[in-house]
Amino acid sequence: MDHLIELDRKHFLHPTSSIQQQQAQGSKLLVESGEGIFLKDRDGKAYIDAMSSLWNVHIGHGREELAGVAEAQMKKLAFSSAFSTFTHEPGILLAEKIASIAPGDLNAVFFTSGGSESNDTAIKLVRHYWKIQGQPNRRKIVGLKRAYHGVAAASTSATGIPEFWEMAGHMMNDFTHAETSYQSTTKEAVASLREKFEAEGPETIAAFIAEPIQGAGGVLIPPDDYFPAIRQLCDEYGVLFIADEVITGFGRTGKMFGLEHSNVVPDVMTFAKGVTSGYIPLGGVVISDSIHEVLQVHSKGTLFHGFTYSGHPTAAAVGLKNIELIEKEGMVENSSEMGDKLLEGFKKIKGDLDIVGDVRAKGLLGAVELVKNPETNESFSKDQAVAPKVIEELHQRGVICRAVTYESSNIICFAPPLIITEQQINALLDKLHDSILSIQKQL
């Protein structure tokens, strides 16, 4: 194993990682296998994958059904381009399936390789939509602070977390961010967005983009009346609404898509992650019938946008089987039921431990906030960040989890596979309780 770690240090530049830490200490975990909700390292130690790796392994690890479908499709047609109107059966069938389960009149699908590409594509499509109707100045994208939409050029700019802007310099032009509903009322958050629309000029705005639940920002769940009010505001100003369902799609929140909790239909919806449960890269954009009609009537010549792997046949076949399993095995319903159990456990931990503040969950997407004083919601300072310490305690107890420490927040995020059982939820909660208690005693 030491040989592999040394090769890793020398040759593998890891995403969203500390280069210095990797060089000084080697990689934190060398994963060898996965089964169900568990990952296993090279020494045979099992870990609860409480983040579904990157919010995406919905059906759990080691499902042979997806491997079998991929093998069969690769033997028949591993890859064929979808450029120049070439097509193939898996892509057609997956597009039809996604249209059938998407909210409202979202019926036309553009495929990508992942979430960043999906959000970049959505931004280009809405700008194109306005341009071909004689409104080329409608280019601005309004997002939310603490939002995460990816790391490609436009999706980084739409992201509302400054750390992601600083890595390579300035953001792209024509992006701005309003206040989120986190720690504010719907009225205040909607007022902030209205002010943005007015300040920028609605005649210059192409779209508003938001996650139904802000995932990487700290699992920030908006009030129930937030998105209906946002939908109404976008309609009032004639601004398109892009819903980023990359994390929240395909059952994660206890509904097939996150916005279904609000009974709101966006104009554009992006997806990735759970569409294949991470077994193969795939993402996409779904547009409304009205937008599709405008593209058909007003577009001239070639739509100069596409990725080599847009509509990848093997990825599409895997996506179809993955959605079939989610539906057949009742994983959306299990997400809702086990999410209630998870939230109930969070509340018990909050009642037992002094440094636990707000706790929240929607389906199997949840978070526990750690605060200096729960009564006043006083945060720990940056140099007192306790969430990473709890993450390390969880790791030692065999749980893989994620901390968010933006703006002095100390949030522990959870997104276990949708197949998790009540017994496994209880085991996870026990380990969380003990990990927080251990850190609390050190303060």
Side-chain angles (χ1 to χ4, degrees), residues 119-159:
N119 286 321
D120 266 43
T121 296
I123 289 165
K124 290 180 75 173
L125 284 176
V126 298
R127 286 174 169 174
H128 178 65
Y129 167 85
W130 291 115
K131 183 178 180 181
I132 61 178
Q133 294 182 89
Q135 300 184 62
N137 291 330
R138 296 194 73 151
R139 292 182 46 81
K140 292 178 182 176
I141 304 297
V142 181
L144 293 174
K145 295 178 181 179
R146 293 184 74 116
Y148 178 80
H149 298 294
V151 293
S155 53
T156 297
S157 302
T159 289

Short mmCIF file of all heavy atoms in Angstrom, two decimals, residues 119-159:
data_model
loop_
_atom_site.label_atom_id
_atom_site.label_comp_id
_atom_site.label_asym_id
_atom_site.label_seq_id
_atom_site.Cartn_x
_atom_site.Cartn_y
_atom_site.Cartn_z
N ASN A 119 -24.98 22.97 -15.77
CA ASN A 119 -25.30 24.36 -15.45
C ASN A 119 -24.69 25.34 -16.45
O ASN A 119 -25.32 26.35 -16.79
CB ASN A 119 -24.87 24.68 -14.01
CG ASN A 119 -25.78 24.04 -13.00
OD1 ASN A 119 -27.00 24.00 -13.18
ND2 ASN A 119 -25.22 23.51 -11.91
N ASP A 120 -23.51 25.05 -16.95
CA ASP A 120 -22.95 25.88 -18.02
C ASP A 120 -23.86 25.83 -19.25
O ASP A 120 -24.11 26.85 -19.90
CB ASP A 120 -21.55 25.39 -18.40
CG ASP A 120 -20.46 26.14 -17.65
OD1 ASP A 120 -20.63 26.36 -16.44
OD2 ASP A 120 -19.44 26.49 -18.28
N THR A 121 -24.36 24.64 -19.57
CA THR A 121 -25.24 24.48 -20.73
C THR A 121 -26.54 25.25 -20.54
O THR A 121 -27.01 25.94 -21.46
CB THR A 121 -25.55 22.98 -20.95
OG1 THR A 121 -24.33 22.30 -21.28
CG2 THR A 121 -26.55 22.78 -22.08
N ALA A 122 -27.12 25.16 -19.35
CA ALA A 122 -28.36 25.89 -19.08
C ALA A 122 -28.16 27.38 -19.26
O ALA A 122 -29.02 28.07 -19.84
CB ALA A 122 -28.84 25.58 -17.66
N ILE A 123 -27.04 27.90 -18.79
CA ILE A 123 -26.77 29.33 -18.92
C ILE A 123 -26.61 29.73 -20.38
O ILE A 123 -27.15 30.75 -20.83
CB ILE A 123 -25.51 29.70 -18.09
CG1 ILE A 123 -25.84 29.61 -16.59
CG2 ILE A 123 -24.98 31.08 -18.45
CD1 ILE A 123 -24.64 29.58 -15.68
N LYS A 124 -25.92 28.92 -21.16
CA LYS A 124 -25.76 29.23 -22.59
C LYS A 124 -27.10 29.13 -23.31
O LYS A 124 -27.40 29.94 -24.19
CB LYS A 124 -24.74 28.28 -23.22
CG LYS A 124 -23.32 28.54 -22.76
CD LYS A 124 -22.32 27.59 -23.39
CE LYS A 124 -22.03 27.93 -24.82
NZ LYS A 124 -20.92 27.10 -25.36
N LEU A 125 -27.90 28.15 -22.96
CA LEU A 125 -29.19 27.98 -23.64
C LEU A 125 -30.14 29.15 -23.37
O LEU A 125 -30.83 29.62 -24.28
CB LEU A 125 -29.85 26.67 -23.21
CG LEU A 125 -29.26 25.39 -23.82
CD1 LEU A 125 -29.95 24.16 -23.21
CD2 LEU A 125 -29.40 25.37 -25.34
N VAL A 126 -30.18 29.62 -22.10
CA VAL A 126 -31.11 30.73 -21.83
C VAL A 126 -30.62 32.02 -22.47
O VAL A 126 -31.44 32.84 -22.92
CB VAL A 126 -31.34 30.93 -20.31
CG1 VAL A 126 -32.00 29.69 -19.71
CG2 VAL A 126 -30.08 31.29 -19.56
N ARG A 127 -29.33 32.22 -22.58
CA ARG A 127 -28.82 33.40 -23.28
C ARG A 127 -29.13 33.30 -24.77
O ARG A 127 -29.53 34.29 -25.41
CB ARG A 127 -27.31 33.54 -23.05
CG ARG A 127 -26.96 34.03 -21.65
CD ARG A 127 -25.47 34.03 -21.39
NE ARG A 127 -25.13 34.74 -20.16
CZ ARG A 127 -23.91 34.79 -19.65
NH1 ARG A 127 -22.91 34.15 -20.25
NH2 ARG A 127 -23.67 35.46 -18.54
N HIS A 128 -28.97 32.12 -25.32
CA HIS A 128 -29.32 31.89 -26.72
C HIS A 128 -30.81 32.12 -26.95
O HIS A 128 -31.23 32.72 -27.96
CB HIS A 128 -28.93 30.46 -27.11
CG HIS A 128 -29.27 30.07 -28.50
ND1 HIS A 128 -28.70 30.66 -29.61
CD2 HIS A 128 -30.15 29.13 -28.98
CE1 HIS A 128 -29.19 30.11 -30.72
NE2 HIS A 128 -30.07 29.19 -30.36
N TYR A 129 -31.62 31.65 -26.03
CA TYR A 129 -33.07 31.79 -26.10
C TYR A 129 -33.47 33.26 -26.26
O TYR A 129 -34.32 33.61 -27.10
CB TYR A 129 -33.68 31.20 -24.82
CG TYR A 129 -35.13 31.52 -24.56
CD1 TYR A 129 -36.15 30.78 -25.14
CD2 TYR A 129 -35.47 32.56 -23.69
CE1 TYR A 129 -37.49 31.07 -24.87
CE2 TYR A 129 -36.79 32.86 -23.41
CZ TYR A 129 -37.80 32.12 -24.00
OH TYR A 129 -39.13 32.41 -23.73
N TRP A 130 -32.88 34.13 -25.45
CA TRP A 130 -33.20 35.55 -25.56
C TRP A 130 -32.60 36.17 -26.81
O TRP A 130 -33.24 37.01 -27.47
CB TRP A 130 -32.72 36.29 -24.31
CG TRP A 130 -33.48 35.95 -23.07
CD1 TRP A 130 -33.02 35.32 -21.96
CD2 TRP A 130 -34.87 36.23 -22.82
NE1 TRP A 130 -34.01 35.18 -21.03
CE2 TRP A 130 -35.16 35.72 -21.53
CE3 TRP A 130 -35.89 36.84 -23.56
CZ2 TRP A 130 -36.43 35.83 -20.96
CZ3 TRP A 130 -37.15 36.94 -23.00
CH2 TRP A 130 -37.42 36.43 -21.73
N LYS A 131 -31.39 35.78 -27.15
CA LYS A 131 -30.71 36.38 -28.31
C LYS A 131 -31.48 36.15 -29.60
O LYS A 131 -31.64 37.07 -30.41
CB LYS A 131 -29.29 35.80 -28.43
CG LYS A 131 -28.48 36.40 -29.57
CD LYS A 131 -27.08 35.80 -29.60
CE LYS A 131 -26.27 36.41 -30.75
NZ LYS A 131 -24.91 35.82 -30.81
N ILE A 132 -31.97 34.92 -29.81
CA ILE A 132 -32.67 34.62 -31.07
C ILE A 132 -34.05 35.26 -31.13
O ILE A 132 -34.70 35.26 -32.19
CB ILE A 132 -32.78 33.10 -31.31
CG1 ILE A 132 -33.57 32.41 -30.20
CG2 ILE A 132 -31.39 32.49 -31.48
CD1 ILE A 132 -33.75 30.92 -30.41
N GLN A 133 -34.48 35.83 -30.01
CA GLN A 133 -35.74 36.58 -30.01
C GLN A 133 -35.51 38.09 -30.06
O GLN A 133 -36.42 38.87 -29.81
CB GLN A 133 -36.55 36.23 -28.76
CG GLN A 133 -37.03 34.79 -28.72
CD GLN A 133 -37.88 34.52 -27.48
OE1 GLN A 133 -39.08 34.70 -27.48
NE2 GLN A 133 -37.21 34.10 -26.41
N GLY A 134 -34.27 38.47 -30.39
CA GLY A 134 -33.96 39.88 -30.55
C GLY A 134 -33.67 40.61 -29.26
O GLY A 134 -33.75 41.84 -29.21
N GLN A 135 -33.32 39.87 -28.19
CA GLN A 135 -32.98 40.50 -26.91
C GLN A 135 -31.59 40.04 -26.45
O GLN A 135 -31.45 39.40 -25.41
CB GLN A 135 -34.03 40.16 -25.86
CG GLN A 135 -35.43 40.62 -26.20
CD GLN A 135 -36.43 40.35 -25.09
OE1 GLN A 135 -36.29 40.87 -23.97
NE2 GLN A 135 -37.44 39.55 -25.37
N PRO A 136 -30.55 40.38 -27.21
CA PRO A 136 -29.20 39.90 -26.89
C PRO A 136 -28.63 40.48 -25.60
O PRO A 136 -27.66 39.93 -25.05
CB PRO A 136 -28.37 40.37 -28.09
CG PRO A 136 -29.10 41.56 -28.62
CD PRO A 136 -30.55 41.24 -28.42
N ASN A 137 -29.21 41.56 -25.08
CA ASN A 137 -28.71 42.15 -23.84
C ASN A 137 -29.15 41.37 -22.61
O ASN A 137 -28.65 41.63 -21.50
CB ASN A 137 -29.18 43.60 -23.73
CG ASN A 137 -28.51 44.50 -24.75
OD1 ASN A 137 -27.38 44.25 -25.14
ND2 ASN A 137 -29.21 45.53 -25.18
N ARG A 138 -30.07 40.43 -22.78
CA ARG A 138 -30.50 39.64 -21.63
C ARG A 138 -29.50 38.50 -21.42
O ARG A 138 -29.71 37.37 -21.85
CB ARG A 138 -31.92 39.12 -21.84
CG ARG A 138 -32.95 40.22 -21.93
CD ARG A 138 -34.38 39.72 -21.80
NE ARG A 138 -34.68 39.33 -20.43
CZ ARG A 138 -35.90 39.38 -19.89
NH1 ARG A 138 -36.93 39.82 -20.60
NH2 ARG A 138 -36.10 39.00 -18.65
N ARG A 139 -28.41 38.83 -20.74
CA ARG A 139 -27.31 37.89 -20.52
C ARG A 139 -27.05 37.62 -19.04
O ARG A 139 -26.41 36.63 -18.69
CB ARG A 139 -26.01 38.43 -21.13
CG ARG A 139 -25.99 38.48 -22.64
CD ARG A 139 -24.63 38.99 -23.13
NE ARG A 139 -23.51 38.36 -22.46
CZ ARG A 139 -23.03 37.16 -22.77
NH1 ARG A 139 -23.59 36.46 -23.74
NH2 ARG A 139 -21.99 36.66 -22.11
N LYS A 140 -27.52 38.49 -18.17
CA LYS A 140 -27.15 38.39 -16.76
C LYS A 140 -27.81 37.18 -16.09
O LYS A 140 -28.96 36.85 -16.39
CB LYS A 140 -27.53 39.66 -16.02
CG LYS A 140 -26.69 40.87 -16.45
CD LYS A 140 -27.14 42.13 -15.73
CE LYS A 140 -26.33 43.34 -16.22
NZ LYS A 140 -26.81 44.59 -15.59
N ILE A 141 -27.05 36.56 -15.21
CA ILE A 141 -27.54 35.44 -14.42
C ILE A 141 -27.52 35.86 -12.95
O ILE A 141 -26.47 36.27 -12.43
CB ILE A 141 -26.67 34.18 -14.61
CG1 ILE A 141 -26.59 33.81 -16.10
CG2 ILE A 141 -27.22 33.03 -13.77
CD1 ILE A 141 -27.90 33.43 -16.74
N VAL A 142 -28.66 35.77 -12.30
CA VAL A 142 -28.76 36.09 -10.88
C VAL A 142 -28.82 34.79 -10.09
O VAL A 142 -29.69 33.94 -10.34
CB VAL A 142 -30.01 36.94 -10.57
CG1 VAL A 142 -30.05 37.27 -9.08
CG2 VAL A 142 -30.00 38.22 -11.41
N GLY A 143 -27.88 34.61 -9.19
CA GLY A 143 -27.86 33.43 -8.33
C GLY A 143 -28.02 33.83 -6.88
O GLY A 143 -28.43 34.95 -6.57
N LEU A 144 -27.68 32.92 -5.98
CA LEU A 144 -27.81 33.17 -4.55
C LEU A 144 -26.46 33.01 -3.85
O LEU A 144 -25.63 32.19 -4.26
CB LEU A 144 -28.80 32.19 -3.92
CG LEU A 144 -30.26 32.32 -4.33
CD1 LEU A 144 -31.07 31.19 -3.73
CD2 LEU A 144 -30.83 33.67 -3.92
N LYS A 145 -26.24 33.77 -2.83
CA LYS A 145 -25.07 33.58 -1.99
C LYS A 145 -25.13 32.19 -1.36
O LYS A 145 -26.20 31.68 -1.06
CB LYS A 145 -25.01 34.65 -0.91
CG LYS A 145 -24.79 36.06 -1.48
CD LYS A 145 -24.79 37.12 -0.40
CE LYS A 145 -24.59 38.52 -0.99
NZ LYS A 145 -24.61 39.57 0.05
N ARG A 146 -23.96 31.57 -1.21
CA ARG A 146 -23.78 30.22 -0.66
C ARG A 146 -24.26 29.12 -1.61
O ARG A 146 -24.22 27.94 -1.26
CB ARG A 146 -24.45 30.07 0.72
CG ARG A 146 -23.80 30.92 1.81
CD ARG A 146 -24.43 30.67 3.16
NE ARG A 146 -24.02 29.38 3.71
CZ ARG A 146 -23.30 29.24 4.81
NH1 ARG A 146 -22.87 30.30 5.48
NH2 ARG A 146 -22.99 28.04 5.27
N ALA A 147 -24.67 29.49 -2.81
CA ALA A 147 -25.06 28.48 -3.79
C ALA A 147 -23.83 27.79 -4.35
O ALA A 147 -22.74 28.38 -4.40
CB ALA A 147 -25.86 29.12 -4.92
N TYR A 148 -24.02 26.55 -4.81
CA TYR A 148 -22.95 25.85 -5.52
C TYR A 148 -23.54 25.27 -6.81
O TYR A 148 -24.49 24.50 -6.77
CB TYR A 148 -22.34 24.73 -4.69
CG TYR A 148 -21.26 23.98 -5.46
CD1 TYR A 148 -19.98 24.52 -5.56
CD2 TYR A 148 -21.55 22.80 -6.13
CE1 TYR A 148 -18.99 23.86 -6.30
CE2 TYR A 148 -20.57 22.14 -6.86
CZ TYR A 148 -19.30 22.68 -6.96
OH TYR A 148 -18.33 22.05 -7.70
N HIS A 149 -22.93 25.66 -7.94
CA HIS A 149 -23.43 25.19 -9.24
C HIS A 149 -22.36 24.53 -10.10
O HIS A 149 -22.64 24.14 -11.23
CB HIS A 149 -24.05 26.36 -10.01
CG HIS A 149 -25.23 26.97 -9.32
ND1 HIS A 149 -26.41 26.30 -9.12
CD2 HIS A 149 -25.39 28.19 -8.75
CE1 HIS A 149 -27.26 27.08 -8.47
NE2 HIS A 149 -26.66 28.23 -8.22
N GLY A 150 -21.14 24.37 -9.57
CA GLY A 150 -20.12 23.67 -10.33
C GLY A 150 -18.83 24.45 -10.45
O GLY A 150 -18.69 25.55 -9.89
N VAL A 151 -17.89 23.91 -11.22
CA VAL A 151 -16.56 24.50 -11.32
C VAL A 151 -16.12 24.80 -12.75
O VAL A 151 -14.96 25.14 -12.98
CB VAL A 151 -15.51 23.60 -10.64
CG1 VAL A 151 -15.74 23.54 -9.14
CG2 VAL A 151 -15.51 22.19 -11.23
N ALA A 152 -17.00 24.67 -13.73
CA ALA A 152 -16.69 25.17 -15.07
C ALA A 152 -16.82 26.70 -15.04
O ALA A 152 -17.21 27.28 -14.02
CB ALA A 152 -17.62 24.54 -16.10
N ALA A 153 -16.51 27.36 -16.16
CA ALA A 153 -16.40 28.82 -16.14
C ALA A 153 -17.69 29.50 -15.69
O ALA A 153 -17.69 30.29 -14.74
CB ALA A 153 -15.99 29.31 -17.53
N ALA A 154 -18.78 29.21 -16.35
CA ALA A 154 -20.04 29.88 -16.00
C ALA A 154 -20.61 29.36 -14.69
O ALA A 154 -21.12 30.13 -13.88
CB ALA A 154 -21.06 29.70 -17.13
N SER A 155 -20.51 28.05 -14.46
CA SER A 155 -21.07 27.49 -13.22
C SER A 155 -20.30 27.96 -11.99
O SER A 155 -20.89 28.13 -10.92
CB SER A 155 -21.13 25.96 -13.29
OG SER A 155 -19.88 25.40 -13.61
N THR A 156 -19.00 28.19 -12.12
CA THR A 156 -18.23 28.78 -11.02
C THR A 156 -18.72 30.19 -10.74
O THR A 156 -18.85 30.61 -9.59
CB THR A 156 -16.73 28.81 -11.34
OG1 THR A 156 -16.26 27.47 -11.49
CG2 THR A 156 -15.94 29.50 -10.24
N SER A 157 -19.00 30.93 -11.80
CA SER A 157 -19.45 32.31 -11.65
C SER A 157 -20.85 32.38 -11.04
O SER A 157 -21.16 33.29 -10.27
CB SER A 157 -19.45 33.01 -13.01
OG SER A 157 -18.15 32.98 -13.58
N ALA A 158 -21.69 31.39 -11.35
CA ALA A 158 -23.03 31.33 -10.76
C ALA A 158 -22.97 30.89 -9.30
O ALA A 158 -23.86 31.21 -8.51
CB ALA A 158 -23.91 30.38 -11.56
N THR A 159 -21.92 30.16 -8.94
CA THR A 159 -21.73 29.73 -7.56
C THR A 159 -21.58 30.94 -6.65
O THR A 159 -20.92 31.92 -7.00
CB THR A 159 -20.49 28.82 -7.46
OG1 THR A 159 -20.79 27.57 -8.10
CG2 THR A 159 -20.06 28.57 -6.03
#
